[in-house]
Amino acid sequence: MSAPTTIFRRPEALRDAFTHYCPGCTHGIIHRLVAETLDELGLRERTIGIAPVGCSVLCYNYFNCDMQEAAHGRAPALATGVKRVLPDRIVFTYQGDGDLASIGTAEIIHAANRGEKFTTIFVNNAIYGMTGGQMAPTTMPNQVTTTCPRGRDVNTAGWPIPVADVLAQLRTPAYIERVAVHTPRYTVQAKRAIRQAFQYQAENRCYSFVEVLSTCPTNWGKTPNESVQWLEDVMVPYFKLGLKKSPDRPPVE
Amino acid sequence: MPKKLMKGNEAIGEAAIVAGAQAYFCYPITPQTEIAEYLAKRMPEVGGVFVQAESELAASQMIFGAAAAGARVFTTSSSPGISLMGEAMSYITAAELPAVFINIIRCGPGLGGILPSQGDYLQAVKGAGHGDYKLLVLAPSTIQEAVDLTIEAFRLADKYLNPVMLIGDGLIGQMMEPVDFESCVKPPRLDCSAWATTGCAGREPHIVKTLFLDPNVLEERNRRLKAKYERMAREEIRFETYGCDPPPDLLFAAYGTTARVVRTAVDRLREEGASVGLFRPISVFPFPDDALRQVAHQPQVHNVLVVEMSMGQMLEDVQSALQGRRPLHFYGRGGGNVPAPEELIDEAKKLLGNGHGGKK
Ligand SMILES: Cc1ncc(C[n+]2csc(CCOP(=O)(O)OP(=O)(O)O)c2C)c(N)n1
Ligand code: SF4
Ligand SMILES: [Mg+2]
C-alpha cells in the first residue's frame, strides 16, 4: 500500500486553536477562506489584519498573522493608518454588519471612497451576534430580534442596507462582490472572490471588499440546517450575490 | 537658521516635522486648521503621510493603526473635535501605544465659539474617554515653548508608551512670535520591534489589542498604567515660578497664555511695591502639587489667586494641592474673553489691602 498523502490540512495562516464560534456559525468557514488565500498568495508574513468588535473580535486567536483589534466600527480607520505608513504590506479588515454597516458606516464609506489599498471581509449575518441578537441595519424585513420583537418594521427601521451595492455606487475604482458560504457551491465562489480581493491588493490596484452572507443559528433561533435554508430563502433573494464592481471594468462615461 | 517669525499653529506643525513625525491624520476645525494646512504642504516634502480624515473619530483611530504599526504619529484638533477623539485616546492608552494629541482649545461648551479658552483643562487631565486612563498633558505659554514641548511630547510618548497631549488656548495657535528650531533635538527612533504589527516574517505574530476578559489580567494592566502615571509624577513635573524669591504675599497660579497676562500684572504690581508672584504649571498632568505647596505654604504667602480662561478648572488641582491651608481665590474669564492685566491688578489689590502686601 502506498504512503498516505495529505489532501486537506489547516492552512498555515490559521492557528491550531479551539473555536469559540457556535455550532453552525459560518464565521469559521470565512476565516478558513481568508487563511487559504494568504497561504496561496504567500502573503501571511507581510499581512496585518484588523479585528472588529463583534463575535469575530477574537479572530486574532485564529489568524496566524499580525493583528490589531479596533474599536467598534473603526477597523477601516485603523487599516488606513497601517496601510499609509506601511504601503508595501497587506492589510485587511474583518467586520460584522453591526460594526461595518451601523456604527462604522462613515469609516467604511470614506475608506472605500479614498480608494485605500486594503481588503475588507464583511460578514453579514443580519443580526448583532455578540451582544445577543439585536436588530442590525441588515436585519431582514419582519425578522424577529430582541430589539424588534414584532419583527423589523421597515416603516420605522428602514430596509436592510445592501452595503456592497451601496459602496459600488462610488466613482472611485474598487473590487466589490457579494458571496455566500452556506453550501459548498457558494463557498467555492466565495473563495474565488476573496482570493481576487487580496490579489488586487497585492497588485496595489484598488480597495477591495467582499460581503459574505453568514449564518447565526444561535441568535436566529434556528438549527444549523434551518439557518442554511433561511439564508437561502430569505437573505439571498434580497442581498443579490455577484460582482458589483471591478477595477477591470471601469464605469462607462 | 536664525529665529523665524511664525504663527503658533504653523510652528507646532514644523516642530512635529523636526521631531520626526511620520504620519499626521486630521479633520479641520478652527482655531487650529492652519496646522493641517501647513502639514498638507510639509508632510509630503519630508516623505511623511498626511491624511484628511472623514471625522475626528476616524482621524484619531487612524493614529491607533499607524502607531500600532510602529510609526511616530500625531493629530491636532480643537475642543469639539477632541471630544470625538476621546474614544481613540482611551483605546490608544489601553494598547500602550505612543501618540501625540494637540488641542488648541476654543471656548465652549457645545459649539461655543472660536475664541481662545482654557475650558478643556479637566477634559485633558481627567480624560476625554472612558476607563482608567490618563494622558501626560503639557501646557505651553509661548510659541517657542509650544515648539519645544511638541518635540518633547513625542519623546515622552515613546518613553511611556502612552499618548501625550499638548494643550494651548487659541492664542497659542494664532499668535506670531519668533521661534528657534536650531536648538531642538529630534527624539531617537523608538525600537518597537517587540510589539509593532509590521508583518510576522521571522517571528511570532504580534497582536495589539485592548480586550482582556479575565479580570485579573485586566487589573494587572490597570496597575501597570497606574505605575506609569506614578513614574510621570516623579520624573515629568514641569513648572516655573516668577517673583517668588523672596516669597510673595499674594501668589498667582496660572498656566498657558493666561500666565503671560499674569506676568504683566505681576511686573506692574511689583513696580508699585506690591509683593506678588506667579506659579505656572507647565505639566498639568502630572500636576506639580508638591512644588506648588512648597511655594504657597511659606509663612509669607497669605493668599493664592488662580486665574484661568474658564470658570475654574485648574482651580480644582490647586485646591487639592493646597489642602485648604491658604485662602484660595479665583478669577476667570469665559466665552473667549482674555483677562486684561488691569483686571488682575484690581483683583490682586482687593486681596493685598491698601498696604500692597505684607504690611496688613
Ligand atoms: C462603542 C460601542 N458600542 C457598542 C458596543 C457593543 N457591541 C459589541 S459587538 C456589537 C454588535 C456586533 O454585531 P456585528 O458587527 O453584526 O457582529 P457579529 O457579532 O454579528 O458577528 C455591539 C453593539 C461596543 N463594544 N462599543
Ligand atoms: S452568536 Fe451568531 S455570529 Fe456569533 S458565533 Fe454564535 S452563531 Fe456565530
Ligand atoms: Mg452581525
Side-chain angles (χ1 to χ4, degrees):
Chain A
M1 210 169 91
S2 60
T5 46
T6 307
I7 55 164
F8 190 80
R9 64 154 72 85
R10 176 170 50 81
E12 202 185 350
L14 277 187
R15 292 164 187 265
D16 187 6
F18 286 105
T19 183
H20 78 288
Y21 295 114
C22 305
C25 174
T26 45
H27 262 303
I29 295 176
I30 302 164
H31 281 33
R32 184 174 170 106
L33 300 185
V34 171
E36 284 180 355
T37 299
L38 296 181
D39 276 12
E40 288 165 19
L41 300 180
L43 303 175
R44 183 185 76 89
E45 292 194 324
R46 58 186 183 103
T47 292
I48 297 107
I50 316 287
V53 178
C55 279
S56 50
V57 60
L58 296 176
C59 68
Y60 43 71
N61 289 346
Y62 311 123
F63 288 124
N64 188 21
C65 61
D66 277 8
M67 296 289 298
Q68 298 185 10
E69 174 202 271
H72 197 22
R74 315 287 178 237
L78 270 66
T80 299
V82 179
K83 190 76 188 192
R84 291 294 184 116
V85 299
L86 299 174
D88 61 343
R89 291 331 125 84
I90 298 297
V91 179
F92 74 93
T93 68
Y94 186 105
Q95 302 178 257
D97 44 356
D99 193 81
L100 183 143
S102 189
I103 197 166
T105 354
E107 283 76 9
I108 198 65
I109 287 186
H110 288 277
N113 195 53
R114 285 190 302 268
E116 298 292 345
K117 307 288 184 295
F118 65 80
T119 300
T120 294
I121 306 299
F122 170 45
V123 180
N124 175 0
N125 58 9
I127 204 145
Y128 284 21
M130 188 195 212
T131 41
Q134 295 78 30
M135 182 177 68
T138 41
T139 291
M140 299 308 295
N142 302 317
Q143 181 186 341
V144 171
T145 76
T146 60
T147 50
C148 50
R150 285 165 221 89
R152 179 181 186 143
D153 178 356
V154 295
N155 291 313
T156 53
W159 287 78
I161 301 181
V163 180
D165 307 87
V166 170
L167 291 181
Q169 298 304 309
L170 299 170
R171 177 69 180 77
T172 308
Y175 169 71
I176 297 174
E177 179 149 359
R178 185 184 289 118
V179 297
V181 289
H182 58 292
T183 71
R185 185 170 63 86
Y186 286 120
T187 304
V188 169
Q189 288 296 315
K191 170 67 184 298
R192 184 200 42 74
I194 288 172
R195 196 181 148 118
Q196 180 66 72
F198 278 93
Q199 184 68 45
Y200 279 130
Q201 180 182 175
E203 291 166 6
N204 206 29
R205 288 282 294 282
C206 60
Y207 175 67
S208 51
F209 178 95
V210 180
E211 175 170 339
V212 188
L213 303 186
S214 189
T215 58
C216 180
T218 301
N219 289 303
W220 291 354
K222 296 184 183 352
T223 66
N225 281 342
E226 289 166 356
S227 297
V228 164
Q229 200 57 51
W230 189 81
L231 195 152
E232 176 70 34
D233 295 346
V234 180
M235 288 181 76
V236 170
Y238 183 87
F239 293 112
K240 298 269 186 312
L241 303 180
L243 181 66
K244 307 292 170 177
K245 185 169 177 160
S246 160
D248 293 326
R249 281 199 253 135
V252 189
E253 292 294 340
Chain B
M1 193 168 77
K3 283 199 173 188
K4 212 172 147 189
L5 188 67
M6 279 183 104
K7 196 171 185 175
N9 280 333
E10 296 190 345
I12 286 169
E14 186 59 29
I17 301 249
V18 170
Q22 293 161 296
Y24 170 74
F25 304 90
C26 65
Y27 189 83
I29 183 169
T30 309
Q32 62 78 54
T33 305
E34 291 98 343
I35 306 180
E37 291 168 343
Y38 184 81
L39 289 167
K41 279 199 282 290
R42 282 293 277 140
M43 286 307 270
E45 285 172 9
V46 297
V49 170
F50 172 93
V51 178
Q52 178 172 332
E54 60 272 30
S55 69
E56 290 87 350
L57 274 176
S60 54
Q61 294 289 3
M62 289 174 188
I63 295 285
F64 183 115
R72 183 166 281 168
V73 288
F74 77 116
T75 185
T76 65
S77 188
S78 181
S79 314
I82 295 290
S83 292
L84 292 186
M85 291 182 177
E87 177 187 78
M89 287 175 201
S90 168
Y91 281 79
I92 293 171
T93 313
E96 303 200 62
L97 299 171
V100 172
F101 289 84
I102 297 177
N103 182 6
I104 301 299
I105 305 175
R106 58 191 255 179
C107 44
L111 207 46
I114 58 169
L115 295 172
S117 162
Q118 295 179 315
D120 299 352
Y121 178 95
L122 287 174
Q123 183 199 45
V125 302
K126 304 292 183 202
H130 61 284
D132 228 343
Y133 86 96
K134 295 280 188 187
L135 307 177
L136 199 161
V137 188
L138 303 170
S141 84
T142 66
I143 308 302
Q144 182 68 54
E145 197 176 33
V147 164
D148 296 342
L149 291 180
T150 297
I151 296 168
E152 189 63 358
F154 285 98
R155 189 184 68 80
L156 292 170
D158 285 358
K159 174 175 173 181
Y160 289 96
L161 296 180
N162 198 84
V164 176
M165 180 182 263
L166 195 82
I167 52 170
D169 50 73
L171 287 163
I172 292 288
Q174 297 299 322
M175 256 184 322
M176 287 187 89
E177 281 185 323
V179 279
D180 164 27
F181 288 98
E182 202 126 281
S183 44
C184 297
V185 183
K186 176 175 163 175
R189 198 54 63 235
L190 174 70
D191 177 10
C192 48
S193 57
W195 51 264
T197 56
T198 52
C200 65
R203 59 161 170 77
E204 282 300 299
H206 289 164
I207 299 170
V208 176
K209 61 172 196 145
T210 66
L211 178 74
F212 298 95
L213 292 170
D214 179 333
N216 293 326
V217 172
L218 184 53
E219 186 179 41
E220 190 44 44
R221 293 183 70 92
N222 292 151
R223 288 194 203 287
R224 201 157 78 213
L225 291 182
K226 180 164 182 274
K228 270 191 206 184
Y229 307 137
E230 287 165 355
R231 180 171 173 211
M232 288 175 192
R234 289 192 303 275
E235 298 178 21
E236 312 307 339
I237 294 291
R238 287 171 170 76
F239 63 94
E240 183 187 66
T241 56
Y242 184 67
C244 291
D245 190 17
D249 179 81
L250 169 67
L251 179 68
F252 283 98
Y255 71 99
T257 310
T258 310
R260 297 175 71 164
V261 183
V262 172
R263 236 176 130 105
T264 306
V266 165
D267 285 343
R268 293 215 210 139
L269 283 160
R270 287 171 74 93
E271 276 164 27
E272 293 178 30
S275 172
V276 290
L278 164 67
F279 184 91
R280 176 171 78 92
I282 298 170
S283 60
V284 288
F285 185 87
F287 191 77
D289 35 16
D290 270 338
L292 175 58
R293 263 194 298 278
Q294 271 170 33
V295 178
H297 286 173
Q298 297 172 100
Q300 297 92 327
V301 179
H302 288 109
N303 284 292
V304 175
L305 173 58
V306 176
V307 184
E308 292 181 70
M309 285 191 272
S310 80
M311 294 297 114
Q313 298 204 5
M314 183 181 76
L315 178 63
E316 292 186 9
D317 280 339
V318 173
Q319 202 157 24
S320 97
L322 295 188
Q323 301 161 345
R325 286 174 53 195
R326 285 293 176 280
L328 185 57
H329 311 272
F330 178 73
Y331 186 76
R333 293 299 307 268
N337 287 312
V338 181
E342 295 71 30
E343 298 167 49
L344 305 185
I345 291 169
D346 286 349
E347 281 303 304
K349 284 183 175 169
K350 286 184 211 159
L351 298 170
L352 288 161
N354 294 333
H356 282 185
K359 301 165 274 179
K360 281 217 181 83

